Coordinates of all heavy atoms in Angstrom, one line a residue:
L87 N -44.6 206.3 -44.0 CA -45.9 206.7 -44.5 C -46.3 207.9 -43.9 O -46.5 208.0 -42.6 CB -46.9 205.5 -44.3 CG -46.9 204.3 -45.1 CD1 -46.7 204.6 -46.6 CD2 -45.8 203.3 -44.7
T88 N -46.5 209.0 -44.7 CA -46.9 210.3 -44.2 C -47.6 211.1 -45.2 O -47.3 211.0 -46.4 CB -45.6 211.0 -43.7 OG1 -45.9 212.4 -43.5 CG2 -44.5 210.9 -44.7
P89 N -48.5 212.0 -44.8 CA -49.1 212.9 -45.9 C -48.1 213.8 -46.5 O -48.4 214.4 -47.5 CB -50.2 213.6 -45.1 CG -50.1 213.2 -43.7 CD -49.1 212.2 -43.5
G113 N -46.3 206.5 -38.5 CA -46.3 207.5 -37.4 C -47.7 207.6 -36.8 O -48.7 207.2 -37.4
L131 N -43.7 208.3 -48.4 CA -44.8 208.1 -49.3 C -46.1 208.5 -48.7 O -46.3 208.2 -47.5 CB -44.8 206.7 -49.8 CG -43.7 206.2 -50.7 CD1 -43.8 204.7 -51.0 CD2 -43.7 207.0 -52.0
S132 N -47.0 209.1 -49.5 CA -48.4 209.4 -49.1 C -49.3 208.6 -49.9 O -49.0 208.4 -51.1 CB -48.6 210.9 -49.2 OG -50.0 211.1 -49.2
I133 N -50.4 208.1 -49.4 CA -51.4 207.3 -50.2 C -52.5 208.3 -50.8 O -53.4 207.8 -51.5 CB -52.0 206.1 -49.5 CG1 -52.8 206.5 -48.3 CG2 -50.9 205.1 -49.2 CD1 -53.8 205.4 -47.9
G134 N -52.4 209.6 -50.5 CA -53.4 210.5 -51.0 C -53.4 211.8 -50.2 O -52.9 211.9 -49.2
D135 N -54.1 212.8 -50.8 CA -54.1 214.1 -50.2 C -55.2 214.2 -49.2 O -56.2 215.0 -49.4 CB -54.2 215.2 -51.3 CG -53.0 215.2 -52.2 OD1 -52.0 214.7 -51.8 OD2 -53.1 215.7 -53.3
Y136 N -55.1 213.4 -48.1 CA -56.0 213.5 -47.0 C -55.2 213.0 -45.8 O -54.1 212.4 -46.0 CB -57.2 212.6 -47.2 CG -56.9 211.3 -47.9 CD1 -56.4 210.3 -47.1 CD2 -57.0 211.2 -49.3 CE1 -56.1 209.1 -47.7 CE2 -56.7 210.0 -49.9 CZ -56.2 208.9 -49.1 OH -55.9 207.8 -49.7
V137 N -55.7 213.3 -44.6 CA -54.9 213.0 -43.4 C -55.5 211.8 -42.6 O -56.7 211.9 -42.2 CB -54.7 214.2 -42.5 CG1 -53.9 213.8 -41.3 CG2 -54.0 215.3 -43.3
L138 N -54.8 210.7 -42.5 CA -55.3 209.6 -41.6 C -54.8 209.8 -40.2 O -53.8 210.6 -40.0 CB -54.7 208.3 -42.2 CG -55.1 208.0 -43.7 CD1 -54.2 206.9 -44.2 CD2 -56.6 207.7 -43.8
S139 N -55.3 209.1 -39.3 CA -54.8 209.3 -37.9 C -53.5 208.6 -37.6 O -53.0 208.7 -36.5 CB -55.9 208.9 -36.9 OG -56.4 207.6 -37.2
G140 N -53.0 207.8 -38.6 CA -51.7 207.2 -38.4 C -51.3 206.5 -39.7 O -52.1 206.5 -40.7
G141 N -50.1 206.1 -39.8 CA -49.6 205.5 -41.0 C -50.1 204.0 -41.3 O -49.8 203.5 -42.4
A144 N -52.2 203.3 -44.3 CA -51.4 203.6 -45.5 C -50.4 202.4 -45.7 O -50.2 201.9 -46.9 CB -50.7 204.9 -45.4
Ligands
LIG301 N1 -50.5 209.1 -42.4 C1 -51.5 209.9 -42.3 N2 -52.0 210.2 -43.4 C2 -51.4 209.6 -44.4 C3 -51.5 209.6 -45.8 N3 -52.4 210.3 -46.5 N4 -50.6 208.8 -46.5 C4 -49.7 208.1 -45.8 N5 -49.5 208.1 -44.5 C5 -50.4 208.8 -43.8

Side-chain angles (χ1 to χ4, degrees):
L87 284 315
T88 165
L131 290 176
S132 163
I133 62 161
D135 294 340
Y136 41 81
V137 179
L138 304 167
S139 53

